[in-house]
Amino acid sequence: MRPTYKVRYTEWPPWAMDTFVENITVLDGVLKDVYAALSYSLNYNFDIKSEEDRQFGSLQADGSYSGMLGKLINKEIDIAGPFVASEQRAAVVNFTNCLGFSSIGIVTGVASSDRNVFLYTNVFSWKVWVSLFLTIVGISLIAELIFSVPVGGWRHNQVSLLANYFWFFWRYLVGRDGGSTNHWTLIHIWHRQSFRILLSAWLLGPVITALLCFQGSIMSTFAVAKLRPVIADLDELSEKANIIPVTSRGSAVQICFKTSQSHSELWKRMENNSIAFKPEAVEETIRKVEKGTHVLLIDYVYALHLASDYVKRTGRCSVQVEELHFCQSFIALAVQKSTSAKTVKKINSKLTYIIQAKLTDRWMNRVYTNYTHCTRQLPERSKPLNIKDILGGFVIWSIGIVISSLVLIGEIFQSIGERNFKKQKNSPALKTTSNVLCSKKKC
């Protein structure tokens, strides 16, 4: 006589999907093929029903488990799934061989990436802008020293002189040359080695780096698609405290965040925002996601299915799915702890052949057929360049400043030496003239 096993499932495309035959809910998807193959090869009967509360099962405050896990533990059913295997669940049930792998996906709304009229300022972070300003001030001060110490002798208005050099170097930074070298601030120092080294360091360092990076970033920023996800990853979700994270009640996603120390703050935000995956609850949540106030965290493939279905029903490309590389695990069926090892071994041996036959592939291609280009586009985020991104230019500039300063010191000593030499050379003539005048006056 063929043994009969009671089976429960909850909807999780493409693994398990509800379909209706004469107003009766029946199983469709990967598990339909799996159970059919197991029934044929092992001569088993499976009494398959959908889980009424649509919960996979999670640990409750009183120590019991909800959903399908609770029924397995209480021996109301024999097999349930699919589940994302976890250490917590493995303590109360046995898992079969791996059916596939699961990662978390974020179903998020989309927003314009260029609403800010000052978008161009976001090409660099504020630290880079401040560094560029201080760099121009610093190089202007050194140019002022090159002019004042060996040449001008501090006779000119130093504020005006500094402003002239600031404007000179700023012109290079915005893509213009420095203007005529016949200007009084340049004509006397243009051929000095210290100034040439200073200018070379400025042109090879900050000017080339900042100018080309700025132009390239502006072009790439405005050339890309104008929409980006409201939330692209968990870091952004952590920063935007006004966005409400929602997940499925009793799911592996809940367990992942609940047991993750690095995402404890996110768990506090989503702890009371779980839903049972009934059509009306999912529909309401997706509408909130579309408005940009909520995000839905579920299995990545299931997220693609929901987005695809929403595009099909509404015709709007207003939701997007982002895959997270967090809490990845394998998918399996669960059996009672009391199930004989011989039975589990038989099921596992046949599951290995079934999975190797790649039954999942044909279902994967069907589960999100409407997930079109408008929802699959890559996220476009305006990421400011940081100091590390253009550090090389500032290193070149710093080396140039040091060399220029050393040459300037040499020029200063050389200038002092020349002045002293002239004084010494003119000193005998002054003494002779003084003696002549003194003799005429009969000193």
Side-chain angles (χ1 to χ4, degrees), residues 287-299:
R287 288 178 181 174
K288 293 177 180 178
V289 168
E290 185 180 22
K291 293 178 181 178
T293 59
H294 293 62
V295 292
L296 181 61
L297 293 99
I298 53 174
D299 172 71

Side-chain angles (χ1 to χ4, degrees), residues 153-220:
W154 305 99
R155 293 191 300 269
H156 296 84
N157 185 315
Q158 299 303 308
V159 175
S160 175
L161 190 62
L162 179 64
N164 275 280
Y165 285 125
F166 185 93
W167 177 248
F168 171 78
F169 290 113
W170 175 258
R171 284 174 61 91
Y172 277 111
L173 191 63
V174 296
R176 306 291 297 275
D177 60 43
S180 174
T181 59
N182 292 325
H183 193 271
W184 65 272
T185 58
L186 297 175
I187 191 170
H188 297 294
I189 66 171
W190 187 257
H191 298 292
R192 300 188 75 87
Q193 293 299 323
S194 57
F195 184 78
R196 287 186 173 184
I197 295 172
L198 185 70
L199 184 60
S200 298
W202 173 245
L203 294 177
L204 290 175
V207 170
I208 289 180
T209 304
L211 186 61
L212 295 183
C213 286
F214 187 86
Q215 290 176 346
S217 297
I218 284 291
M219 291 176 63
S220 61

